Amino acid sequence: MAVVPALSTQCVIWFGKPKRHERAALGAAGWQVRAARSDDGIGLRAGDTVVGLLDLRDGSHGCLDRLERLAREHDYLSLLAVVPAATGPSPTRHPILDHCAAILTAPLDVPRLIQALGRLVREPRPDPAHALGSLIGASPPMRDIHATIRKFAPVDLPVLITGDTGTGKDVAARVLHELSARRRARFAAVNCGALAPNLVQSELFGHERGAFTGANARRAGLFETADGGTVFLDEIGDLPLEAQTNLLRVLQDHSVQRVGSHESIPVDVRVLAATNRDLEAAVAAGKFRDDLFYRLNVLRLHMPPLRERGADILLLASHFLNAYRDKNPTRARAFSSSAQQAMLGFAWPGHVRELINRVQRAAVIAEGELITPEELGLCGHPPGPAGDGALDTARESAERETILNCLRESGFNISETARRLKVSRVTIYRLCRKHELDLARLR
């Protein structure tokens, strides 16, 4: 069983026997031709920039016998067929139309072939445009966030993440860590507002035995245990002034002192901090050290409120519903059109956290496959105007979810999916490519 070598940028997998002048002309146009006599070992990978050419010019239907298998197992491969000049009705015409995105007739005109290949070629798939790690969103504000995080992640400087509660500041911090050179070390997160005032110093910087009542043994603090990694200080605005002084020492001297000790312990950590407060106002009011603020505010990332993210709301809602379905029984599979409009028009005061809450509750109480505005608790909220492009994005999202759900229900049977949606099989393949649904992986 022959295995095709690693593919180049533009490659034609030729199922049949290309003529010498055809191979040469394609090579001159920048295409690499690889003959494949077995579809079992052609060595394709999802995302490769390739076109499959099914050569039926000799009148043999041997290649046609494996057309169904090719389309099923290599769904990311655009197929082009070269057929004999039609002299009458052909029983092979229907499956070719179903599976092939383009058809050329013999004698083969090479310039036309090159032109057809140019229309079918697809660049290697980039990372999904709507996700950077766990950060999901395709709206302009989130594209800006993704671009900013990619710039900030490799730079070993503090980052101050601002935004309302529930906008995903903790998720952004974790993505910053995962994209940094420290990703193999610990990511240590603490909510400064949840620490008992008398234990803040001990939790962050550690303590010696006997330093205070109940300190029965020496204990390393958060910064020591995260040495080499990242420390995320959530709700930094709630940190007491005394602890702010010690945190400043960490940032300036890269060392900590345990409570009850005068010994400086070197630590190598990157500090990420988040707040939903106006720290500039807190500095002006004397509630936050100005020197610490300037140390933390070297790089700044502001998480936008959910209501400003347009159709990201639908992307997130579908993501949270699917995550719930993976672990829990529910009849719900998607959102009705009215539910989508209600979500797009709602103000979302609790932001992403509120969206998760409403989607999970709706999944529990759903009576049918489509979640309604009533089940989301949004029936009393009239839809507001969607942002620019939000309706188009919403339609795209709904189309993708409909196709994906129908594929799952049919056991990823393309014929059954096409029958249910009342479209052709080639349309299903085209839509899967459009929405980056990798059938080989989904199965």
Side-chain angles (χ1 to χ4, degrees):
M1 183 180 297
V3 178
V4 175
L7 298 171
S8 63
T9 302
Q10 293 188 128
C11 183
V12 177
I13 305 298
W14 197 299
F15 296 93
K17 296 179 180 179
K19 294 179 171 56
R20 184 176 299 176
H21 76 278
E22 293 167 346
R23 185 189 289 270
L26 286 174
W31 287 89
Q32 192 169 32
V33 179
R34 299 192 188 278
R37 291 174 176 79
S38 169
D39 54 289
D40 292 320
I42 60 177
L44 301 182
R45 300 182 305 273
D48 285 327
T49 306
V50 293
V51 174
L53 189 149
L54 200 63
D55 193 344
L56 305 175
R57 288 177 295 179
D58 61 0
S60 168
H61 295 163
C63 287
L64 192 61
D65 294 339
R66 59 186 172 191
L67 177 57
E68 173 78 22
R69 186 174 176 184
L70 273 173
R72 183 179 68 250
E73 297 184 359
H74 303 293
D75 53 86
Y76 48 85
L77 180 66
S78 296
L79 291 175
L80 179 150
V82 181
V83 300
T87 56
S90 169
T92 67
R93 182 168 175 78
H94 178 67
I96 292 175
L97 287 176
D98 268 355
H99 296 297
C100 295
I103 300 173
L104 297 177
T105 56
L108 181 60
D109 184 85
V110 177
R112 284 187 59 204
L113 171 61
I114 294 172
Q115 188 178 36
L117 291 174
R119 287 195 297 266
L120 294 179
V121 70
R122 295 184 284 115
E123 293 300 320
R125 290 180 187 169
D127 291 334
H130 61 271
L132 179 65
S134 302
L135 275 177
I136 297 173
S139 62
M142 287 308 293
R143 288 201 296 268
D144 290 342
I145 291 292
H146 292 176
T148 302
I149 286 178
R150 288 190 178 98
K151 292 178 182 177
F152 287 0
V155 182
D156 209 18
L157 292 171
V159 180
L160 180 62
I161 307 172
T162 60
D164 294 345
T165 299
T167 51
K169 298 187 294 295
D170 55 336
V171 179
R174 185 168 288 277
V175 173
L176 278 166
H177 170 73
E178 291 171 349
L179 295 180
S180 75
R182 298 176 180 266
R183 58 186 172 273
R184 298 187 186 279
R186 186 184 176 196
F187 176 81
V190 63
N191 187 326
C192 298
L195 294 175
N198 60 328
L199 293 178
V200 171
Q201 301 273 25
S202 174
E203 290 291 330
L204 295 181
F205 311 114
H207 63 255
E208 296 291 338
R209 179 180 180 182
F212 51 85
T213 303
N216 299 321
R218 172 185 289 179
R219 182 176 184 272
L222 187 72
F223 281 88
E224 280 187 78
T225 60
D227 189 38
T230 302
V231 169
F232 173 51
L233 302 173
D234 201 3
E235 303 304 342
I236 188 68
D238 293 332
L239 196 66
L241 283 171
E242 185 180 359
Q244 292 178 28
T245 302
N246 290 334
L247 176 58
L248 183 63
R249 181 183 300 116
V250 175
L251 294 171
Q252 288 178 335
D253 303 334
H254 305 288
S255 65
V256 297
Q257 285 185 0
R258 296 184 184 132
V259 177
S261 172
H262 297 291
E263 178 187 359
S264 291
I265 302 171
V267 292
D268 173 27
V269 296
R270 184 187 191 184
V271 175
L272 308 177
T275 183
N276 62 354
R277 295 188 177 187
D278 184 346
L279 285 191
E280 286 93 338
V283 168
K287 296 181 179 179
F288 200 87
R289 293 185 60 118
D290 58 350
D291 46 4
L292 177 59
F293 172 72
Y294 296 129
R295 284 282 183 177
L296 292 172
N297 193 36
V298 179
L299 302 174
R300 191 158 185 165
L301 182 70
H302 180 73
M303 299 301 293
L306 184 57
R307 61 181 172 273
E308 294 180 3
R309 292 176 54 181
D312 281 357
I313 296 167
L314 303 184
L315 290 175
L316 288 164
S318 295
H319 171 75
F320 298 139
L321 176 59
N322 290 332
Y324 180 87
R325 289 180 60 201
D326 287 342
K327 298 180 180 179
N328 304 278
T330 178
R331 298 182 63 185
R333 296 181 177 274
F335 299 90
S336 67
S337 297
S338 55
Q340 292 180 35
Q341 291 300 319
M343 286 190 288
L344 288 172
F346 187 55
W348 297 108
H351 307 285
V352 179
R353 198 167 296 165
E354 180 182 4
L355 177 61
I356 294 172
N357 176 283
R358 289 183 181 271
V359 168
Q360 289 180 343
R361 184 172 61 242
V364 172
I365 66 175
E367 295 292 335
E369 294 188 353
L370 296 181
I371 290 177
T372 66
E374 292 78 11
E375 290 163 345
L376 286 167
L378 298 179
C379 57
H381 303 276
D388 292 343
L391 185 57
D392 289 340
T393 309
R395 287 171 178 158
E396 293 284 310
S397 176
E399 182 180 74
R400 185 182 191 279
E401 287 304 309
T402 300
I403 294 165
L404 184 56
N405 288 334
C406 197
L407 283 166
R408 286 172 175 158
E409 291 166 3
S410 67
F412 294 94
N413 182 297
I414 300 298
S415 297
E416 177 62 17
T417 300
R419 186 189 66 77
R420 292 188 182 193
L421 295 178
K422 298 180 180 179
V423 296
S424 70
R425 293 170 53 87
V426 73
T427 297
I428 297 298
Y429 287 118
R430 178 180 60 79
L431 290 172
C432 286
R433 289 194 294 270
K434 171 185 173 183
H435 295 292
E436 295 187 344
L437 296 175
D438 189 336
L439 295 178
R441 293 180 183 177
L442 287 171
R443 289 191 184 98

